[in-house]
Amino acid sequence: MSEKQDFSWGPATGVGSMPGGDARESARTVTGSVEDFPYLAELPARGPGADMIGRTIGLLVEMYAHVEPSGWRVSDRPGRDTRRAHSWLGEDLDALEEFTQGYEGPLKVQAVGPWTLAASLELRGGEAALGDPGACRDLAASLVEGLRGHLADVRRRVPGAQVVLQLDEPSLTAVLRGQIRTASGYRTHRAVDRQIVESALRDVVAVTDGPVVVHSCAPDVPFALLRRAGAQGISFDFGLITEREEEAIGEAVEGGTRLFAGLVPSTDAASAGLSVGADIVKGVRTLWRRLGLNPGTLSESVVITPACGLAGASPAYARAALAHCVRAARSLADNPE
């Protein structure tokens, strides 16, 4: 049985980003808060190269980029921005390694998926790579090679970990619908064929023998497409789910897909009046009843997360949000109904 099939998921984890710029403090918070499913935190407050796009560009093999006022743009050779991305990733990995000594269990790392990357990275002329099918293919292939080396490095540093790869694809729905704007802002890039999108995702998912989760905190997550591409988990903002997605969610659960349900607000302002424990998971329980699913499968099917990354939260609230996730997961396990 492959690792993708035979895997013990943790009950709660984070999405990826954390506030501030101290790698050791962030690693300490993550490993202490979600100790059964820690993750390699991203600290975008440090600047370009520490953001999710910049970090992933730093992973690419034989492709380079630099920062322009409009965003990241392809370069001929590695420059200061690429070196900075490498340096910050190394710092974050050092901190994670320090605080996971002797750890055995699931450990999540995040990278931007091929389609959000293609929608965000500009070619030399200033247009997104998304508008050039050849560039999209090259970008996906470079990402696969970069992820292969990155995952091997994480496994070497934390040898007891079962590494989970999360692909961040917040732009995926917009790519499928032709809603990504061109550089001029007056028109949009043509919608990419769903089969092409699925094929590229499948190629990236295949980079690892371990499980892959695809995350999107945008509305209308394409659950069925992601499952066909091989995702074993789908991470989403539970508050954005509508009745249109419910049938697809039910099919995903029955097919063994793990749901990473974003139930805890990701910023201090959004958390006003936040209930804790059982009340946080009330909506999940209601959905399970509406779909006619066995309540006993809840804790086996759902990982509790914040609604999105915690970069916009205060450090105190980021710690509290992760703690809320853990308590809510415990509530699901103790009282599924």
Side-chain angles (χ1 to χ4, degrees):
M1 183 175 287
S2 74
E3 186 182 351
K4 290 189 178 187
Q5 295 169 313
D6 186 17
F7 187 82
S8 293
W9 303 85
T13 190
V15 171
S17 66
M18 292 288 286
D22 188 326
R24 291 188 74 254
E25 182 58 33
S26 180
R28 188 199 315 272
T29 297
V30 166
T31 55
S33 300
V34 284
E35 57 187 21
D36 293 324
F37 200 170
Y39 57 98
L40 176 64
E42 301 158 354
L43 302 175
R46 293 180 297 194
D51 59 300
M52 70 177 193
I53 299 295
R55 167 167 285 185
T56 302
I57 286 172
L59 295 174
L60 298 178
V61 172
E62 296 184 356
M63 290 189 74
Y64 315 104
H66 64 279
V67 178
E68 293 278 346
S70 54
W72 286 89
R73 184 171 296 180
V74 167
S75 302
D76 292 325
R77 61 185 63 87
R80 178 184 62 185
D81 296 325
T82 302
R83 290 192 294 270
R84 186 165 49 194
H86 289 164
S87 175
W88 275 328
L89 176 58
E91 183 180 312
D92 294 339
L93 284 167
D94 289 344
L96 180 72
E97 183 177 1
E98 177 183 350
F99 288 98
T100 52
Q101 292 295 310
Y103 175 74
E104 296 183 355
L107 171 68
K108 184 164 68 68
V109 298
Q110 303 83 222
V112 175
W115 294 107
T116 295
L117 197 58
S120 304
L121 178 61
E122 299 174 358
L123 300 179
R124 290 175 180 82
E127 286 292 352
L130 183 66
D132 184 330
C136 289
R137 288 192 294 271
D138 291 345
L139 192 56
S142 178
L143 178 61
V144 166
E145 291 305 309
L147 285 172
R148 186 172 287 120
H150 179 49
L151 294 171
D153 187 24
V154 173
R155 292 187 179 105
R156 178 183 60 80
R157 289 170 177 266
V158 193
Q162 297 172 296
V163 180
V164 178
L165 172 62
Q166 175 180 302
L167 296 174
D168 291 317
E169 282 283 14
S171 299
L172 181 59
T173 300
V175 166
L176 290 166
R177 293 181 174 178
Q179 295 172 338
I180 301 296
R181 293 202 169 274
T182 59
S184 69
Y186 293 120
R187 61 185 183 87
T188 58
H189 288 281
R190 181 180 302 176
V192 181
D193 183 89
R194 297 180 78 88
Q195 290 185 337
I196 293 174
V197 169
E198 184 180 324
S199 177
L201 282 168
R202 186 180 298 110
D203 289 345
V204 178
V205 167
V207 73
T208 176
D209 291 332
V212 177
V213 176
V214 179
H215 166 73
S216 174
C217 50
D220 300 321
V221 176
F223 286 89
L225 184 151
L226 296 177
R227 291 178 59 220
R228 290 195 303 270
Q232 290 79 48
I234 300 175
S235 173
F236 58 97
D237 181 344
F238 191 83
L240 298 179
I241 293 300
T242 66
E243 290 185 8
R244 290 195 306 274
E245 286 91 53
E246 288 187 2
E247 183 178 351
I249 289 174
E251 291 174 354
V253 171
E254 291 177 341
T257 303
R258 187 62 55 112
L259 303 181
F260 284 59
L263 292 166
V264 176
S266 55
T267 63
D268 304 54
S271 69
L274 173 68
S275 300
V276 298
D279 288 341
I280 290 177
V281 294
K282 182 178 179 181
V284 178
R285 290 194 178 103
T286 300
L287 175 62
W288 238 245
R289 287 195 294 271
R290 197 155 56 235
L291 293 174
L293 296 171
N294 179 1
T297 65
L298 261 170
S299 63
E300 302 169 2
S301 303
V302 176
V303 176
I304 306 297
T305 75
C308 204
L310 295 169
S314 67
Y317 178 70
R319 289 191 295 272
L322 294 177
H324 285 318
C325 291
V326 172
R327 284 195 290 270
R330 189 177 300 128
S331 173
L332 270 189
D334 292 345
N335 183 17
E337 300 189 55

